[in-house]
Amino acid sequence: MDQQNLTVLKEFILMGITDRPELQAPLFGIFLVIYAVSVVGNLGMVILTTMDSRLQTPMYFFLRHLAFIDLGYSTAVGPKMLVNFVTNQNSIPYNWCAAQLAFFILFIISELFILSAMAYDRYVAICNPLLYTVVMSPRVCWVLVTVPYLYSAILSLIITIKIFISSFCGYNVISHFYCDSLPLLTLLCSSTREIELIILIFSAFNLVSSLLVLLVSYTRILLAILRMNSAEGRGKAFSTCGSHLTVVVVLYATLTFMYVQPKSSHSFDTDKMASVFYTLIIPMLNPMIYSLRNKEVKGALCQIWKKLNELVSRMAWMDRHNLTIMNEFILMGITALPELQAPLFALFLLVYMVSVVGNLGLIILTKMDSRLQTPMYYFLRHLAFTDLGYSTAVGPKMLVNFAADQHTISYNGCATQLTFFSTFITSELFILSAMAYDRYVAICNPLLYTVVMSQRTCRLLVAIPYLYSVFLSLLVIIKIFTSSFCGYNVIRHFYCDCLPLISLLCSGTHDIKMIILIFAAFNLASSLPIVLVSYLLILGTILRVNSAESRRKAFSTCGSHLAVLVIFYGTLFFMYVQPKSSHSLDTDQMASVFYTLIIPMLNPMIYSLRNKEVKGALTRAWSMCANTLFKSAGRSLDEAKGDFHLTLRCERHYLDSRRLLRSPFHGTMFSMVFSFNWNLTENRCSYLKDNYTFQKLAVDIQQR
């Protein structure tokens, strides 16, 4: 398609909401606020319904997925629309347009059926309250969510593929502010009858099936409520479905206005305003409706607000009263033997300095050297950054505690150390997985390497782990540090880690342990299979290669990464997978020292000693630095080398001349030979500042 359609298929131009320049800045400000409120509201709803123990019911399970869907389709449209407000040309690449359409269709169709599932949930809760927990079991809830996602994904792919495998004409201006199916159909040269028929049939099915479930459910709910004798019971029943009914009315009214009105009353501006409403305004309104009209959500928000206020006031009170227990923790450290403090301090100082120099050097080297601007070294740079990050989160404080009388760390310092350590160690798992995938593409699909591992893909493979790690780290830290600590404040470790801190909590630790266990299992189960599958495919490809030299070269490209993986995962397995009966404080601490300080020191060594390109870059960097130093003294490196070799020749000439003076044949032959050598060597060495060789020789001649 790229070869045949050329410019037409590279990008589309979006007309946007308005072409008036004076409205661009105000609209950008308005929609930025709307999108920010939508993201905060929906993301907050997802976190709230996940964390609060009182919101673990089917109703809030569906609400969580509704918030996720709202966040999904507003994000599919909002950021690109905001970017187009501040750019000169409202263009969108061909592939991005396809991706935007696919995700938008996926989420908007899912929302219709999730709202139907929520209506059915309310029907069961009001009409069959005694059977509610049986009918709306976790398995049923997951089925009611999974089926819409799968159906929406299939339908989205069908429509997107059908549109984008068709032939586009030369005109590439989309009369909309995002890639929607109907504006794209107007740009097709080939017949659109089949695609329009698919869209019409599935749209009718989606609307009829979802609306039918809604109408039947609320009809049965209304009849059940009207049969109630108690006014209080009727009021309570109405309140349980009031928020959902409001959301349904707003969405379906907008869709009806958008698509059901006759063609004669259609206009470009009204269609765009309706689209803005259901792509950006509705996702902003839904969390507001559920938080303002729902007592349980308001109660959960109030509880979180109270906890945050209590945390802030507790920290302020601790600062005012300087209480030892709440103001600081005591780290037991690696050893309590005084005679080992100084040797261990020197040893770990050396280890940490080598780690910092190695990782920082690797970051600078892969950033500056033009030959190391490939995806492999892009990931290596971020691996060095994460190594430097988590070793710095632990190392300096450990070294300070070796030299201090009391091994203390402040309350806020402990929370900060745990946050950064968790962020960097989790990021490293997924960056190592990304590096394994990079090696797989390089060896198994070398011709497509530059296409598959594009700059955008590489940035995505790094950005997602960082964002996920920050989110997970903050989730764990907030859960731990908003809980109540007992009077005992001694941490049985040399840094603030999750498990030693949990042992100091007075309140129930079941939720925190479950969160850590679930996410730790997810991290391992998602990163390790990528590594294993990638290297199995690499091994299969290498074994099929006939040339021994090619096999050796293929192995050498992933040898360094494989060594790093074995060391890293081997240490983690030794640390966490061994049975409890074989656990001991000393072995745990040694393993922790290994993966917090030794591994960050080893990684740059492995990549610099086993990688020819890195060694070559180091040599070039060293030569550049040496040249810079000599040039600052007014001489180049080559000139300095020449001076050194010339000085050696001058010294040799001096010794040869002295031997000739001592020989019995130092008459006429000496005068001829020596005068020639003297003149030649003196002329070549006359520019040297140190003429000591010739001064000594002149003295010897005078004495003879």
Side-chain angles (χ1 to χ4, degrees):
M1 286 168 59
D2 286 336
Q3 293 174 353
Q4 294 177 1
N5 292 285
L6 301 175
T7 308
V8 176
L9 291 179
K10 286 184 179 178
E11 65 178 12
F12 295 99
I13 297 170
L14 298 168
M15 285 188 68
I17 293 174
T18 180
D19 56 355
R20 296 173 63 182
E22 66 274 12
L23 293 178
Q24 300 292 321
L27 287 175
F28 172 77
I30 292 169
F31 289 123
L32 179 62
V33 172
I34 289 171
Y35 179 66
V37 172
S38 175
V39 169
V40 171
N42 287 293
L43 198 59
M45 190 66 76
V46 171
I47 295 169
L48 190 69
T49 53
T50 303
M51 292 177 60
D52 197 285
S53 58
R54 289 170 294 181
L55 301 182
Q56 304 307 310
T57 62
M59 175 181 171
Y60 297 105
F61 174 81
F62 293 122
L63 178 57
R64 178 160 64 248
H65 285 276
L66 179 69
F68 170 70
I69 289 166
D70 284 335
L71 182 64
Y73 73 77
S74 64
T75 301
V77 174
K80 183 59 185 172
M81 184 183 72
L82 292 171
V83 168
N84 288 346
F85 273 123
V86 294
T87 55
N88 294 326
Q89 191 176 10
N90 300 346
S91 60
I92 183 170
Y94 181 85
N95 294 331
W96 286 26
C97 185
Q100 187 182 61
L101 176 62
F103 280 107
F104 181 75
I105 293 173
L106 166 67
F107 286 117
I108 201 70
I109 295 172
S110 299
E111 176 140 341
L112 291 173
F113 291 102
I114 294 291
L115 286 171
S116 301
M118 293 175 79
Y120 176 70
D121 169 74
R122 291 299 83 207
Y123 155 71
V124 177
I126 293 170
C127 299
N128 296 290
L130 298 178
L131 296 175
Y132 181 66
T133 54
V134 178
V135 175
M136 299 304 295
S137 62
R139 184 170 174 272
V140 172
C141 292
W142 275 109
V143 168
L144 290 174
V145 163
T146 306
V147 171
Y149 283 142
L150 292 174
Y151 167 74
S152 303
I154 293 168
L155 181 55
S156 172
L157 288 174
I158 289 172
I159 293 172
T160 306
I161 290 169
K162 288 294 289 182
I163 291 174
F164 282 87
I165 62 172
S166 302
S167 301
F168 285 92
C169 302
Y171 190 68
N172 67 335
V173 178
I174 298 173
S175 301
H176 218 318
F177 62 91
Y178 69 96
C179 290
D180 199 6
S181 53
L182 297 181
L184 281 167
L185 290 178
T186 61
L187 306 182
L188 295 178
C189 290
S190 55
S191 174
T192 61
R193 180 179 174 77
E194 186 182 353
I195 305 172
E196 287 176 348
L197 193 61
I198 290 171
I199 293 172
L200 181 63
I201 291 170
F202 280 106
S203 298
F205 171 76
N206 298 338
L207 190 64
V208 170
S209 57
S210 61
L211 195 57
L212 190 63
V213 174
L214 283 166
L215 292 173
V216 171
S217 297
Y218 274 106
T219 303
R220 299 293 297 273
I221 288 170
L222 184 62
L223 292 173
I225 291 173
L226 292 175
R227 284 197 297 268
M228 292 180 183
N229 297 322
S230 169
E232 185 181 352
R234 285 197 295 270
K236 190 175 180 181
F238 271 122
S239 67
T240 59
C241 54
S243 303
H244 177 254
L245 198 55
T246 307
V247 169
V248 166
V249 169
V250 171
L251 179 67
Y252 276 90
T254 309
L255 291 177
T256 304
F257 175 79
M258 180 74 185
Y259 295 109
V260 182
Q261 58 176 319
K263 284 189 176 181
S264 58
S265 61
H266 264 271
S267 74
F268 185 56
D269 293 332
T270 54
D271 284 354
K272 282 199 290 190
M273 287 304 104
S275 298
V276 165
F277 195 82
Y278 78 80
T279 55
L280 291 174
I281 308 297
I282 287 178
M284 178 190 71
L285 292 176
N286 287 353
M288 291 183 178
I289 292 168
Y290 272 99
S291 58
L292 294 175
R293 293 182 58 87
N294 191 296
K295 290 181 180 179
E296 290 177 337
V297 173
K298 284 193 286 186
L301 284 170
C302 291
Q303 286 295 323
I304 287 181
W305 182 253
K306 284 179 183 177
K307 281 186 179 180
L308 290 173
N309 282 334
E310 285 175 6
L311 179 62
V312 172
S313 60
R314 188 194 306 168
M315 291 170 65
W317 186 75
M318 288 191 306
D319 290 338
R320 286 198 304 269
H321 293 80
N322 196 26
L323 294 180
T324 306
I325 295 172
M326 299 301 297
N327 200 40
E328 64 184 9
F329 295 100
I330 298 172
L331 297 167
M332 283 187 66
I334 294 174
T335 180
L337 297 172
E339 62 271 17
L340 292 178
Q341 300 292 319
L344 287 176
F345 173 78
L347 176 64
F348 289 124
L349 178 62
L350 179 63
V351 168
Y352 178 64
M353 286 176 64
V354 172
S355 174
V356 170
V357 171
N359 286 293
L360 200 59
L362 204 54
I363 291 169
I364 295 169
L365 194 68
T366 54
K367 187 71 177 175
M368 292 178 62
D369 196 286
S370 58
R371 300 183 201 182
L372 302 183
Q373 303 306 310
T374 61
M376 175 181 171
Y377 297 105
Y378 175 80
F379 292 123
L380 179 57
R381 179 159 66 247
H382 285 277
L383 179 68
F385 173 68
T386 54
D387 282 336
L388 183 63
Y390 71 78
S391 63
T392 301
V394 174
K397 184 58 186 173
M398 185 183 72
L399 293 171
V400 168
N401 287 347
F402 271 125
D405 294 331
Q406 194 175 10
H407 300 172
T408 59
I409 184 170
S410 67
Y411 184 85
N412 295 332
C414 184
T416 305
Q417 186 183 63
L418 180 56
T419 303
F420 281 103
F421 179 76
S422 301
T423 300
F424 286 117
I425 202 74
T426 307
S427 299
E428 179 141 335
L429 280 171
F430 292 101
I431 287 174
L432 286 171
S433 303
M435 293 176 79
Y437 176 70
D438 170 74
R439 292 299 82 208
Y440 154 71
V441 178
I443 294 170
C444 300
N445 296 291
L447 298 178
L448 295 174
Y449 182 64
T450 53
V451 178
V452 176
M453 299 305 294
S454 62
Q455 284 188 355
R456 183 171 175 270
T457 303
C458 292
R459 286 172 185 163
L460 200 63
L461 289 173
V462 164
I464 290 173
Y466 282 141
L467 292 173
Y468 167 75
S469 303
V470 170
F471 167 74
L472 177 57
S473 176
L474 290 175
L475 179 64
V476 174
I477 298 326
I478 291 170
K479 287 293 287 184
I480 291 174
F481 283 88
T482 54
S483 303
S484 301
F485 285 94
C486 301
Y488 190 67
N489 69 332
V490 178
I491 298 173
R492 295 172 61 82
H493 219 321
F494 62 92
Y495 69 96
C496 290
D497 200 6
C498 297
L499 299 180
L501 278 167
I502 289 172
S503 65
L504 304 182
L505 295 178
C506 291
S507 54
T509 60
H510 179 72
D511 290 348
I512 304 172
K513 286 179 179 177
M514 283 301 296
I515 289 172
I516 293 172
L517 180 63
I518 290 167
F519 279 105
F522 170 77
N523 297 340
L524 193 65
S526 55
S527 61
L528 192 57
I530 294 172
V531 171
L532 293 175
V533 171
S534 297
Y535 274 103
L536 284 173
L537 293 171
I538 287 169
L539 184 63
T541 303
I542 291 173
L543 292 176
R544 286 195 297 270
V545 175
N546 296 323
S547 169
E549 185 181 351
S550 299
R551 285 198 296 269
R552 182 191 57 76
K553 189 176 179 182
F555 271 120
S556 68
T557 60
C558 53
S560 303
H561 179 249
L562 200 55
V564 170
L565 279 171
V566 170
I567 294 171
F568 185 76
Y569 277 98
T571 310
L572 287 182
F573 273 104
F574 175 79
M575 182 71 185
Y576 294 110
V577 183
Q578 58 177 317
K580 284 188 176 181
S581 57
S582 62
H583 265 268
S584 72
L585 182 62
D586 293 334
T587 55
D588 284 354
Q589 284 185 333
M590 288 303 102
S592 298
V593 166
F594 194 83
Y595 80 79
T596 55
L597 291 174
I598 307 298
I599 287 178
M601 178 190 72
L602 291 176
N603 286 353
M605 290 184 179
I606 292 169
Y607 272 99
S608 57
L609 294 175
R610 292 181 58 90
N611 191 296
K612 290 182 180 179
E613 290 178 339
V614 174
K615 284 193 283 188
L618 280 170
T619 305
R620 290 191 296 274
W622 176 255
S623 300
M624 190 185 298
C625 292
N627 263 323
T628 304
L629 289 173
F630 280 112
K631 281 179 182 177
S632 65
R635 302 159 71 193
S636 70
L637 182 60
D638 293 334
E639 288 173 347
K641 287 179 180 177
D643 291 351
F644 173 72
H645 292 302
L646 192 54
T647 303
L648 291 178
R649 287 199 298 274
C650 292
E651 287 288 347
R652 195 161 51 248
H653 174 68
Y654 163 70
L655 294 173
D656 291 343
S657 301
R658 287 199 56 160
R659 281 196 298 272
L660 188 59
L661 283 169
R662 292 193 189 97
S663 72
F665 308 102
H666 63 273
T668 308
M669 183 179 71
F670 165 74
S671 61
M672 289 189 297
V673 174
F674 178 71
S675 61
F676 173 75
N677 285 332
W678 172 273
N679 293 330
L680 178 63
T681 309
E682 186 178 23
N683 288 335
R684 291 177 67 188
C685 301
S686 61
Y687 76 94
L688 292 174
K689 293 181 181 178
D690 186 5
N691 209 16
Y692 181 59
T693 302
F694 300 102
Q695 290 173 4
K696 289 192 293 182
L697 189 59
V699 171
D700 285 343
I701 292 169
Q702 288 173 3
Q703 288 175 352
R704 286 288 181 180

